[in-house]
Amino acid sequence: MSIVVQKYGGSSVADVARIRLVADRVMRTRQAGHDVVVVVSAMGDTTDELLQLAKQVSPNPDRRELDMLLTAGERIAMALLSMAIRELGGDAISFTGSQSGIITNDRHVDARIIEVRPVRVQDELAKGRIVVIAGYQGVSYRREVTTLGRGGSDTTAVAMAAALGAEYCEICSDVDGVYTADPRVVPDARRIGTLSYEETQELAESGAKVLNAQAVEFAKEKGIAIFARATASPLPGADPSADGTVVRRHPPRQPGTVVGVASERDVLVVQAFLPSTERKGRLSTEREGFSRAINSPEGLALLALLDEHRVAGKQLHVAADRLTLVVSRENLHAEASVRNALADRFGSAVRVDDALGALSVVGAGINASFENLRRGSNALMASGVSIAGIATSSFRITWMIDRARLDESVRLLHRTFIGVSPEPCPYMTTVLDRFLRYVAYDTQSDPQSTTYPSTSKQLVLLRDLAAEFESLGLTDVRVDEFGYVMATVPATTTKRDVPTIGFIAHVDTSPEMPGAGVKPIVHRGYDGRDLVLPDDLTAVLRLADNPPLAEQIGNDIVTASGTTLLGADNKAGVAEIMTAAAYLMAHPELAHGPVRLAFTPDEEVGHGTDHFDVARFGAVCAYTMDGGHRGEIQDESFSADAMTVTFNGFNTHPGYARGRMVNAIKIAAAFIDSLPHDALSPETTGDHDGFVHPYVVQAAVDRTSVRLLVRDFETAGLKDKEALLERLAREAAAAYPGSRVEFAVEESYRNMKEVLDRHPAIAQHAREAIRRAGLEPRTHPIRGGTDGCRLSFMGLPTPNLFAGEHNFHSRLEWVSVQDMEKAVEVIVHLSQIWAERTGS
Ligand code: ADP
Ligand code: ASP
Ligand code: MG
């Protein structure tokens, strides 16, 4: 059997739900007939958190003790993953780095692997077991535990693959391969199908985090193919470059081709000013200067001091009067002590600059001519970015620039050298891209569950949405203990007292239809013809049955494939809010107050607001983006009660019951039959009419209870209906002497209009925003309740706006891309309107 090594990064094992997904992927690999070795990183941000802890105890923590601490992170993940695999019926065993035979030198915190002796791993594989290994760690010849430097789990995986003669090594992460730039920074970046070892190594060394540079070095040495893939992607098929990146020996490209742009912000620039060599002639001055710089005792002493503190070098420049070093901060955990040592030894002759970042373009033969260097430098200068230094090699050009301008400069050089992608990156661009990404998550809620949220799979999307907010630069991003995600788009207005407003959507989908394995289909340019959904040919979306489709001719309609829900309810709203957030963050010139955003679980099972912290949300009002028709605003809902009518009878043996038995079932039946037949029921009312609706009967002779929904747009109307029910129930019982009837009424929710009428600006501003988006506002009462009803009575007035959702809870659910775009516009306008109309 061939051996496959898979590495799962921190984001892929960030919580229990994800660990289960990884276990499932490992099992599938095993079932495909491979021997499997799995390397795991520490869960989520564990390594960063452990480092933070260490810093709290000691600003310059001891390197050996750091390693003892940091290796704990991977140890937790390996054990949990092994348990999860066993839970699925797999036979797994976990090993630390030392148990799996990873032997390193004794350079704590960034040790190098010298040898791998995978004897125990091989023994376990021979027994048919799946071996789970803690990444990022090893043991030195002195039997000290070591770590391999940040991102070192990749190195463990590749070194293990080489030692075991694996067929390939998969590096699984949250991104489906190596892109032409970090897709979080460059929305236009595209995935690169195949890369050479050298190109990948240079990209990694220039800051592309997706693969670790040392890992690539190992792979190159042993000729191991690396497949960089998303954990959520299928197992590699016949052509793994079709849905991931393959790193292997690769024929040279056209020299000078730029394959990618990368940046590194975590660098320090150390400059040593050498004694001046003025007075002499210019040419000789420079030559003398160089030689002086290199030969000067100060220069060499500086290098020695950095080595002593194990500061990893990146680049060195020598000029007539100074020596410049760029050093990486990634594995530098005692920066303060290095700075002190420099100051003690060199005083003001050595300066540490902490405001620069490195911006690189990579490609084989990139400097065959100076053309690339000129193009890049010109583009940077034209946009007013000043260049503090340049370094080149045959694979790379690096510009040192102001760190604050790094991201925009990455985008600039990506445009200059790589251009706009013909197909946008699936990672984060438009509202459609986001929507398609979110519906891939199964987030069904469960009415039977006793946990909160009702299903842990909702947390996977909730946490990823929080990470996306963070990557967009929003502030106060938090996922609370119940899973609610909140974040802020900070105010841009110069006015004072502009109130904070909010937008809310829920991530869960209805338990009524399957929510896993959603295959969204984008029907471009809808022309009114039937849309037949391919996985169930009886699922047909017809214009005749769906009048709102008439307005969508020429638009792009998204449906599922016929066997699942699409999940537009409410992932359309989630995508709209996220896209509006990205837009507002990218356009600080648009004036608005603070905009709070929240994503919530469990709306479909009636618990969406149970733990919503209105005070922490801190907005004067909010809008749920969870409605249907384009242009719609819903500021009026039912007022709702639930009523239980219980009839008590008397039960006895039916053979001896004459004159004694009182059958509560019959009383209940008479009561239900006495309800109006042609009015007051869901099936006979519409618009502004309310109803009473028996929906559960629990029947026994002794005691039968009927549960009824009571609905009316006027809360006072509820009382009338309840009085009617009470009268009919008493009349039914009166016909059965000896019976007794009880009533219980529970408040469900109230018409939000009672609250919203007190704050007319909330709906007025929404109408204005809808108009500015070029739509006619339509107001429709909701014949139901929304989370906004409850929120309105919890102190956060919250009407509902259209998100473009149709055919809720049905396999024929659909949404139009153009409606979602309009909803994004509405959010952006609404944020600005509040700043225009309020504050001073
Ligand atoms: P893991 O936790 O799985 O090891 P990392 O966070 O180390 O994952 O690496 C994945 C991240 O690398 C992505 O989320 C992405 O933002 C970032 N990244 C930076 N540059 C690139 C690039 N050129 N291609 C793909 N991803 C990149
Ligand atoms: N957990 C380590 C880190 O965060 C190693 C890794 O994830 O590769 O750097
Ligand atoms: Mg990594």
Side-chain angles (χ1 to χ4, degrees):
M1 265 203 281
S2 66
I3 301 175
V4 165
V5 176
Q6 298 178 329
K7 177 257 171 176
Y8 293 96
S11 52
S12 306
V13 292
D15 52 42
V16 170
R18 277 174 232 243
I19 290 179
R20 290 208 182 101
L21 295 178
V22 167
D24 180 65
R25 196 171 185 279
V26 171
M27 286 299 281
R28 281 186 277 129
T29 312
R30 171 82 204 157
Q31 280 147 12
H34 297 288
D35 275 341
V36 193
V37 173
V38 188
V39 175
V40 272
S41 294
M43 295 170 70
D45 297 327
T46 304
T47 306
D48 288 324
E49 287 157 14
L50 292 174
L51 277 169
Q52 278 305 319
L53 268 181
K55 288 269 157 70
Q56 284 173 38
V57 175
S58 158
N60 297 303
D62 179 74
R63 296 169 76 95
R64 177 188 181 276
E65 300 310 324
L66 260 185
D67 278 353
M68 295 303 265
L69 178 72
L70 296 179
T71 46
E74 268 68 14
R75 199 163 167 150
I76 295 172
M78 78 178 194
L80 291 177
L81 178 59
S82 179
M83 291 176 205
I85 295 172
R86 300 184 77 87
E87 205 49 43
L88 295 180
D91 187 4
I93 180 165
S94 64
F95 284 142
T96 62
S98 142
Q99 289 172 316
S100 27
I102 308 270
I103 317 292
T104 71
N105 64 11
D106 57 4
R107 222 185 122 99
H108 283 292
V109 173
D110 56 356
R112 285 191 66 99
I113 298 179
I114 329 183
E115 197 186 341
V116 180
R117 295 185 201 151
V119 193
R120 292 191 69 181
V121 177
Q122 283 159 327
D123 283 353
E124 297 298 335
L125 288 177
K127 290 183 204 154
R129 294 210 163 115
I130 295 167
V131 182
V132 182
I133 297 177
Y136 174 56
Q137 53 179 263
V139 64
S140 75
Y141 280 113
R142 299 187 193 170
R143 299 192 163 268
E144 288 290 348
V145 170
T146 52
T147 61
L148 307 176
R150 298 308 303 269
S153 298
D154 297 356
T155 318
T156 306
V158 175
M160 197 42 84
L164 296 171
E167 191 181 323
Y168 56 82
C169 178
E170 261 187 281
I171 304 283
C172 301
S173 158
D174 58 350
V175 53
D176 61 348
V178 182
Y179 276 65
T180 48
D182 185 344
R184 287 180 205 254
V185 177
V186 184
D188 278 329
R190 46 182 185 259
R191 188 172 46 76
I192 309 169
T194 316
L195 276 171
S196 71
Y197 293 116
E198 292 79 7
E199 290 163 340
T200 316
Q201 201 177 335
E202 288 286 342
L203 275 173
E205 262 165 20
S206 315
K209 239 178 74 180
V210 57
L211 282 175
N212 169 292
Q214 211 193 117
V216 183
E217 199 182 310
F218 264 94
K220 176 179 165 186
E221 211 174 285
K222 308 283 170 158
I224 298 275
I226 301 182
F227 298 170
R229 304 175 68 75
T231 301
S233 294
L235 300 178
D239 176 13
S241 68
D243 56 354
T245 297
V246 176
V247 181
R248 57 171 165 77
R249 272 187 238 296
H250 191 267
R253 292 175 217 271
Q254 175 82 16
T257 313
V258 172
V259 294
V261 185
S263 67
E264 191 176 7
R265 50 182 66 242
D266 252 356
V267 292
L268 288 178
V269 179
V270 181
Q271 304 215 53
F273 296 88
L274 302 163
S276 159
T277 50
E278 279 164 31
R279 269 180 287 134
K280 299 196 177 162
R282 206 161 167 270
L283 243 187
S284 64
T285 303
E286 296 218 335
R287 197 177 297 147
E288 251 180 49
F290 286 140
S291 99
R292 186 179 198 134
I294 295 160
N295 294 323
S296 81
E298 285 89 349
L300 290 180
L302 170 63
L303 298 181
L305 187 146
L306 293 175
D307 270 342
E308 217 173 279
H309 284 81
R310 308 260 175 94
V311 178
K314 281 258 160 186
Q315 292 153 23
L316 168 73
H317 301 265
V318 187
D321 62 344
R322 74 181 73 171
L323 195 69
T324 309
L325 288 141
V326 179
V327 303
S328 168
R329 237 176 184 170
E330 197 174 35
N331 295 309
L332 181 62
H333 303 299
E335 189 179 318
S337 72
V338 177
R339 284 176 180 254
N340 288 342
L342 287 173
D344 285 352
R345 171 78 174 75
F346 302 103
S348 60
V350 169
R351 216 186 288 151
V352 179
D353 189 341
D354 187 11
L356 295 177
L359 169 66
S360 304
V361 294
V362 169
I366 196 168
N367 286 310
S369 75
F370 290 119
E371 193 194 331
N372 286 322
L373 178 56
R374 282 189 290 119
R375 268 177 87 188
S377 301
N378 273 335
L380 288 170
M381 287 185 307
S383 74
V385 173
S386 66
I387 299 167
I390 294 181
T392 62
S393 77
S394 55
F395 274 90
R396 144 152 73 141
I397 306 172
T398 300
W399 290 268
M400 298 304 299
I401 61 167
D402 181 1
R403 190 181 296 149
R405 304 204 58 182
L406 213 46
D407 283 354
E408 61 174 289
S409 303
V410 170
R411 288 190 280 271
L412 173 71
L413 292 196
H414 194 270
R415 272 200 304 281
T416 308
F417 287 104
I418 291 170
V420 178
S421 160
E423 53 203 272
C425 134
Y427 204 51
M428 49 188 60
T429 39
T430 63
V431 66
L432 174 62
D433 294 325
R434 285 197 170 86
F435 177 69
L436 296 178
R437 192 147 51 81
Y438 302 152
V439 296
Y441 291 72
D442 174 9
T443 52
Q444 203 176 33
S445 45
D446 175 5
Q448 311 298 342
S449 163
T450 53
T451 61
Y452 202 95
S454 65
T455 52
S456 62
K457 54 195 177 183
Q458 295 179 67
L459 292 172
V460 177
L461 176 56
L462 286 162
R463 289 186 186 140
D464 283 356
L465 291 170
E468 193 170 343
F469 273 147
E470 251 162 20
S471 71
L472 292 173
L474 275 79
T475 57
D476 310 323
V477 180
R478 217 186 114 185
V479 190
D480 71 15
E481 58 194 305
F482 303 106
Y484 290 75
V485 175
M486 292 186 184
T488 308
V489 179
T492 50
T493 174
T494 49
K495 280 187 171 180
R496 277 179 301 132
D497 301 328
V498 172
T500 303
I501 62 160
F503 295 91
I504 302 172
H506 66 88
V507 298
D508 65 316
T509 60
S510 165
E512 293 166 47
M513 278 291 289
V518 175
K519 287 187 261 165
I521 301 172
V522 185
H523 309 266
R524 302 260 175 209
Y526 173 66
D527 61 4
R529 267 184 276 186
D530 290 357
L531 300 178
V532 182
L533 308 188
D535 288 346
D536 179 348
L537 300 182
T538 66
V540 184
L541 191 63
R542 289 194 180 84
L543 180 55
D545 309 331
N546 292 273
L549 277 172
E551 294 173 23
Q552 300 290 351
I553 304 291
N555 287 349
D556 306 322
I557 305 293
V558 191
T559 64
S561 60
T563 50
T564 67
L565 211 57
L566 173 62
D569 171 14
N570 185 209
K571 287 171 186 164
V574 175
E576 289 154 9
I577 290 174
M578 187 62 80
T579 307
Y583 190 87
L584 290 173
M585 293 303 295
H587 291 275
E589 73 280 7
L590 304 180
H592 56 80
V595 181
R596 285 285 274 166
L597 308 174
F599 297 131
T600 61
D602 281 347
E603 192 259 6
E604 300 290 359
V605 292
H607 295 290
T609 58
D610 286 9
H611 300 283
F612 192 99
D613 189 340
V614 170
R616 192 159 63 77
F617 194 58
V620 297
C621 70
Y623 301 86
T624 47
M625 300 299 299
D626 195 16
H629 263 77
R630 166 186 347 160
E632 201 165 74
I633 160 166
Q634 298 174 313
D635 56 357
E636 191 176 358
S637 64
F638 272 144
S639 278
D641 280 348
M643 185 165 182
T644 309
V645 181
T646 307
F647 298 97
N648 297 283
F650 179 72
N651 192 18
T652 183
H653 190 291
Y656 310 91
R658 184 190 298 165
R660 298 178 63 212
M661 180 187 275
V662 182
N663 189 339
I665 300 179
K666 293 187 180 171
I667 317 175
F671 163 64
I672 293 171
D673 195 43
S674 72
L675 298 177
H677 286 212
D678 49 7
L680 273 192
S681 61
E683 59 272 32
T684 57
T685 52
D687 301 328
H688 274 87
D689 304 327
F691 56 74
V692 299
H693 173 48
Y695 72 106
V696 175
V697 178
Q698 251 176 344
V701 173
D702 198 41
R703 188 178 161 88
T704 292
S705 65
V706 182
R707 281 187 65 77
L708 298 109
L709 302 181
V710 185
R711 299 287 186 264
D712 202 295
F713 283 94
E714 304 288 333
T715 301
L718 291 177
K719 295 285 159 281
D720 296 344
K721 295 194 168 55
E722 285 152 12
L724 170 72
L725 291 173
E726 203 170 320
R727 182 168 60 77
L728 294 174
R730 288 195 194 286
E731 281 171 14
Y736 290 82
S739 69
R740 197 164 44 81
V741 55
E742 295 161 20
F743 303 93
V745 175
E746 270 169 61
E747 176 177 319
S748 301
Y749 52 85
R750 289 290 175 258
N751 187 345
M752 59 167 87
K753 199 166 173 34
E754 292 170 16
V755 176
L756 291 173
D757 276 353
R758 281 184 259 136
H759 309 280
I762 298 172
Q764 276 161 15
H765 294 350
R767 287 197 185 87
E768 174 62 17
I770 291 170
R771 265 182 231 111
R772 286 192 195 176
L775 303 172
E776 193 49 44
R778 327 184 204 195
T779 310
H780 283 295
I782 316 168
R783 289 180 62 78
T786 63
D787 274 352
C789 301
R790 292 197 185 82
L791 290 171
S792 294
F793 287 89
M794 284 159 71
L796 181 68
T798 305
N800 189 33
L801 301 183
F802 74 97
E805 301 159 10
H806 293 275
N807 291 346
F808 298 82
H809 304 193
S810 152
R811 61 185 179 156
L812 295 179
E813 198 186 3
W814 61 272
V815 65
S816 125
V817 176
Q818 285 72 16
D819 285 4
M820 289 198 286
E821 286 167 356
K822 282 293 173 198
V824 175
E825 275 184 53
V826 168
I827 299 174
V828 172
H829 285 306
L830 194 42
S831 308
Q832 296 175 80
I833 291 168
W834 274 92
E836 285 167 26
R837 307 264 164 105
T838 51
S840 51

